[in-house]
Amino acid sequence: MGYIAQKPKIAYDTEALRNRIPGWGVDLDPKDRPAVPKEKFNPNTGAHWDFPERQVERWPREKSPEHKFLTPVFGTACPPKGLSGAIRRYAYTLSEGRTAHWLLLLGADRVDVIESRLGALLRGRPDNPITETGVLSEFKRNGLRARFGQRRADVKHQAVDLLLFAATYLIIGRAVYALGRAIAGNGRSGSEPEEIESKGLGALWRSVRMTK
């Protein structure tokens, strides 16, 4: 088709489409749309309550200051615990409109990862990053070829992902190393080394001694 001054009619006629495709354009007329008007009050909803029965709150749940009370139903699968839980509870004392609220929640997630991995290590079931991350597939499934030159959007943040992943293990390794040195030093001297207190590891050392 050559270039012409008038725009050609490329859209099909509505009636022709309706005749050809069953159900096409069924919501073209606003009267046929259940959501129009958007807020249409219908008192005959079938609900037997004015306010839904509320879920029992077994521990003080986090609630943003913007909300008057908790929602009738809320999750209980991952209750806040440890240092990460304390950070989350403090974050919910701040408004959701503040950046600090969300940054604290992001930081609490990272702390939770460290706590979980350290807990798994203390229970004798440490994470296995080799098998759990599937890093071996990078060498068996053409990881580099699939990653570079393919315009993948996730390549841009993979360096940050690697840093966040490795940082938790580096922190745990540093803590285990410091704890090992503390235990070895205590075995030689028979008392708490002053070096532990100076490095802020006194509380951790005391908890280890209590578990003996």
Side-chain angles (χ1 to χ4, degrees), residues 7-202:
K7 181 180 179 181
K9 185 178 181 181
I10 56 177
Y12 292 101
D13 183 72
T14 302
E15 292 300 327
L17 288 173
R18 281 178 173 168
N19 295 332
R20 194 178 70 183
I21 305 174
W24 188 92
V26 69
D27 58 347
L28 280 181
D29 191 343
K31 292 185 298 184
D32 298 332
R33 303 178 193 174
V36 177
K38 184 177 180 181
E39 296 181 358
K40 183 178 180 181
F41 177 70
N42 182 8
N44 300 320
T45 60
H48 62 280
W49 35 256
D50 294 330
F51 190 83
E53 182 180 356
R54 306 192 63 182
Q55 182 177 348
V56 178
E57 186 179 356
R58 296 183 179 179
W59 64 82
R61 285 308 313 266
E62 315 82 64
K63 179 178 66 65
S64 297
E66 286 83 0
H67 298 272
K68 186 177 181 180
F69 45 74
L70 282 174
T71 54
V73 180
F74 46 84
T76 59
C78 300
K81 64 181 186 305
L83 179 60
S84 60
I87 296 175
R88 288 192 176 103
R89 282 189 286 270
Y90 178 72
Y92 276 97
T93 63
L94 306 176
S95 170
E96 292 183 357
R98 297 183 59 179
T99 306
H101 171 85
W102 301 107
L103 289 178
L104 284 171
L105 291 179
L106 289 173
D109 289 344
R110 294 296 94 197
V111 173
D112 193 12
V113 171
I114 296 175
E115 289 177 334
S116 299
R117 288 176 176 167
L118 190 58
L121 179 64
L122 295 177
R123 290 192 297 272
R125 293 179 295 178
D127 296 342
N128 188 341
I130 302 299
T131 59
E132 294 173 359
T133 60
V135 67
L136 295 179
S137 64
E138 295 288 336
F139 307 99
K140 299 178 181 178
R141 308 291 183 183
N142 298 321
L144 293 177
R145 187 188 305 173
R147 184 161 288 105
F148 297 102
Q150 304 296 328
R151 297 184 178 181
R152 285 175 47 175
D154 59 335
V155 175
K156 298 179 180 177
H157 59 77
Q158 283 183 349
V160 179
D161 297 342
L162 181 62
L163 177 63
L164 292 176
F165 173 78
T168 56
Y169 287 103
L170 292 176
I171 294 173
I172 292 174
R174 182 68 180 87
V176 171
Y177 174 74
L179 183 62
R181 288 194 59 184
I183 294 175
N186 181 70
R188 288 193 299 268
S189 63
S191 60
E192 289 187 7
E194 296 180 356
E195 182 183 2
I196 301 177
E197 293 291 348
S198 64
K199 292 184 178 180
L201 298 175

